[in-house]
Amino acid sequence: MEKITSFTIDHIRLIPGVYVSRKDPVGDTVVTTFDIRMTSPNDEPVMNTAEIHAIEHLGATFLRNHPVFGPKIVYFGPMGCRTGFYFLTRSLTDSYSLNLIKDAFKFIADFWGQIPGATMKECGNCADHNLPQAKEEASAFLEIIKDWTKEDLKYPTE
């Protein structure tokens, strides 16, 4: 069986940041998958599910409700390895997408209040959210990507 693209990335060299994982033509549009890598794989501790869950709810809510780019958001959700998130956009430039990622993590870092969609009626595991830790993770990640540009979106090769 052929390896999928994400298993061909050298996770030994991979450091926290934002990377273009793939670009897939779908009809007359292109879907871009971004690898939002928040921890260094197999090196740093992974995030706990409670903060990942809070980041997922806050990030997805912010991105899908964006007044300009919301309709171009396909998906925002966690990686199974718990080292980051995937962010999929439709027909959106890499620069705009990177700025949206920065804006979303700033929103999470600054957020206070009830996490959207975190009630028993709305969520399958509503007790598993950790807003203070999610805010801390988002703030730390923002520090890493604050000067990131579209030129930095390539996976490390050396």
Side-chain angles (χ1 to χ4, degrees):
M1 198 176 314
E2 190 175 327
K3 276 188 186 179
I4 62 171
T5 304
S6 61
F7 296 154
T8 65
I9 304 306
D10 186 346
H11 285 70
I12 294 168
R13 290 191 165 108
L14 192 55
I15 60 172
V18 178
Y19 305 97
V20 172
S21 177
R22 56 188 294 152
K23 290 186 180 268
D24 297 298
V26 179
D28 62 349
T29 189
V30 173
V31 173
T32 303
T33 301
F34 292 89
D35 175 332
I36 300 173
R37 194 62 62 150
M38 295 179 68
T39 67
S40 183
N42 303 303
D43 183 38
E44 296 177 313
V46 298
M47 292 179 285
N48 294 309
T49 60
E51 57 257 29
I52 288 173
H53 199 185
I55 291 169
E56 175 194 16
H57 277 237
L58 291 165
T61 299
F62 174 84
L63 292 163
R64 290 183 183 151
N65 283 291
H66 192 279
V68 176
F69 301 114
K72 295 185 178 288
I73 307 308
V74 176
Y75 175 76
F76 176 82
M79 296 176 176
C81 62
R82 297 185 295 152
T83 63
F85 292 82
Y86 288 115
F87 176 48
L88 281 70
T89 63
R90 178 178 55 81
S91 298
L92 198 55
T93 69
D94 293 348
S95 293
Y96 280 132
S97 296
L98 178 58
N99 286 332
L100 277 173
I101 291 166
K102 290 177 182 180
D103 290 347
F105 278 88
K106 174 124 178 56
F107 172 79
I108 296 164
D110 294 343
F111 186 84
W112 287 106
Q114 178 67 32
I115 296 170
T119 67
M120 287 181 78
K121 185 175 181 180
E122 301 164 315
C123 179
N125 192 7
C126 66
D128 191 32
H129 290 271
N130 184 332
L131 180 57
Q133 189 61 41
K135 291 167 62 65
E136 188 174 310
E137 294 284 354
S139 292
F141 186 64
L142 274 172
E143 192 59 31
I144 292 168
I145 65 167
K146 68 181 177 190
D147 297 323
W148 215 262
T149 68
K150 68 179 184 175
E151 285 74 31
D152 298 307
L153 297 174
K154 295 179 184 74
Y155 282 115
T157 56
E158 300 176 6

